[in-house]
Amino acid sequence: MMTMREIQKKLRKNNSKNYTLYVFCNFISLMLITAYSAMMFSPTVLKVLPEGGDSRKQVTAIFVLACVGCVVFTIYAAGLFFRKKSKEIGTMMALGASKKRLRPILLSETVMLSGLSSLVGTAAGMPFAWLIWQGFRLLVVNSKEMNLAFDMKCLWVSAAFLALVLAAAVVLAFRYLGRTNVLDVIHEEHKNEAIRPIGKKCGILGIVLLLAGAVAGYFGGSIYESIFKAYAPVWINLLYVPVFIGLYMILLHTVVNGWTAHKNRYKGIISRSMMKFQGKQTVNNMLVVTVLIAGACFGMFYLPMMGGSQIMETNGRPYDYSFRYPADNTFASEKNLTELAAKEGLSIDDYRNTSYITLGMDGEEEIEDSGNNYHVERREFSNEGRFFSASQFHHMTGEKVTVSKGQYLAVGDNDGNALYANDTATLVTNMTTKEQLKVKFGGVIKYGMLSGEMGYYILSDEDYAKAAKGLAGQWIEGMTFFNIKSGDNYQFADSLYRGFIDSMDDKAPLQTYYDRVAKYGAEQRGEVYWGDTDEMTKLSFDHPDSSEFRQFWAYMPKIRTLDQNDFMRTFAVFMMMFLFIAIICMLSALIICYTRCMTIAINNRYVFDDLKRLGASPKFLNKELRSQAGKVFSVPAIVGMAMMYLLYFMMMYANDSKLTSGELVNMGICFIVVLLFAAVIYGVYRVTLSKMRKQLAITKA
């Protein structure tokens, strides 16, 4: 006669696949969350992603989405596990085991399975992150900045997630144990969560809501600010809620009605009916997968958006070298550069240099009041502007410009964008004599070599002479352009860069965003300039290869060969972090899809067995499998990728109400990324389909 312990052991063995699936889900969820949080809190990453910057906000937003996805996935896995385990519980109760006797056994088993799988997943998280990071260093780029360090604070996120997993498992365990009808408990696994019939316009309405929510959420903040003259509050993000409602309705319509009108109502009735009977579970999973795939696309799109523009700008420069320097620095003199080039067997070509002046500009600034409110105030010393005379600009660029007296032009990129230019100035001030000149904005001149965060402007020769009269040397700077005959080499470019750094004085490097005019204005008002606080990125000449130094040093030269070869090294941490986001989100999505499809196979095994007995051919059975598994993979993939692609398109267009040539190229690269993602998803779908056939003992047609 078998004892209760032996019966339990036999029941567990019979249900081993369910145990394995549950342990696998917990392990994967904790591993991915731990890996992501380890990267989020890594000093290596935080040093490169400035606090309060857009990059860190974007990384955090995707992290939150990934956490929500893993939470939903884990709770779903626990519910599925106990639905299958309910047969064990019901069998033991039918054999006379009381709930009082089963309670401690079930509790200890639940805690052991959930806790152990979660702990192992947590332990594997950091090694998993480290392996991906080291793989990137080995295959792509390696630098001192890429030395990955972990902050153990990240384990608090894992601990909270682990506690949630245990709590959900225990609650579900006692919920199923609390059932009183033994037959209901035994047959729990055969119960379905059917969706009630919905209208045929549900899908169209869902698309409308999704697009409306995306537009409202994206533009809501700026509209709020323009109306109320206040910074948009956090709750404005609730305008994005219709996106998720619309997305749910689209998925619901896909599962219940489908998008293809069938003339024959009985065509595909079996697969459609099975999808409907388990519709709630399927739709919930598809919603999570859609969000995760969108997150993966966001991470991968960031790379071409950052890299593509940089590469095009570098290759499109009319000069190989561009130096900007204080007026007393003689490193970029023609004689010195010629001598240095000769040592490398090179010669200088098309050498051009000039000086320009830095003037104070007035402008409109947003002044924060109490709460989120602000008012716009014109300040006399708003920012510093770097001014060429029209003839100096022509000498350096070969571009002849006409500037009227009392007018100034801003220098923009090759597409005519001058995003950082001050176009509201009415006065420019000589910062030595404090003499002022009345001006008005006259438009933008295209010249990408001088575009960027630092604003360059052009005055007429007459106005330039007036503004420069009596200006001290600290407000005068020099600029040099030149090419290399018969091709450049990296060794020369690198030695020139380091020689230029050595020629600087011993003062701390000046940051790109450090504005001496804004500092003067703040001091006049009795305020502390923000650039003198800890908010400003600190630079050091001891780390000339760090991404911070190369991005934020005010006098960082533009050297084509150096920028082309060192791009990956300079932006490696940025690229690795967003690549990591894409990997984590895509892995999570594919695992959820795989788990859901295997669940469909397990739950509907008896249906396929009945179809076999009725004489259904392998071709028909395979068709039914493809119909169900295909929707689980294809619909979230199409919706998620299309949603993120359109969002990026909208973001690019909203920047300046047009798409530049560079942006069009970047969007083309993003489309290639979409195709690559589609290929990966299709590959996993094929593997999953093969596993489903094996599970249901269906031969390949």
Side-chain angles (χ1 to χ4, degrees), residues 257-288:
N257 296 332
W259 293 92
T260 305
H262 294 288
K263 294 180 180 179
N264 185 350
R265 60 185 298 185
Y266 299 105
K267 186 177 181 180
I269 190 171
I270 296 175
S271 60
R272 285 190 286 115
S273 297
M274 282 192 285
M275 289 289 283
K276 289 180 184 180
F277 290 149
Q278 297 166 4
K280 289 182 180 178
Q281 300 169 8
T282 303
V283 172
N284 291 340
N285 277 263
M286 290 168 72
L287 179 63
V288 173

Side-chain angles (χ1 to χ4, degrees), residues 311-327:
I311 292 169
M312 289 183 65
E313 187 275 329
T314 302
N315 293 336
R317 294 173 188 169
Y319 292 92
D320 296 330
Y321 290 80
S322 168
F323 285 92
R324 166 182 171 246
Y325 43 85

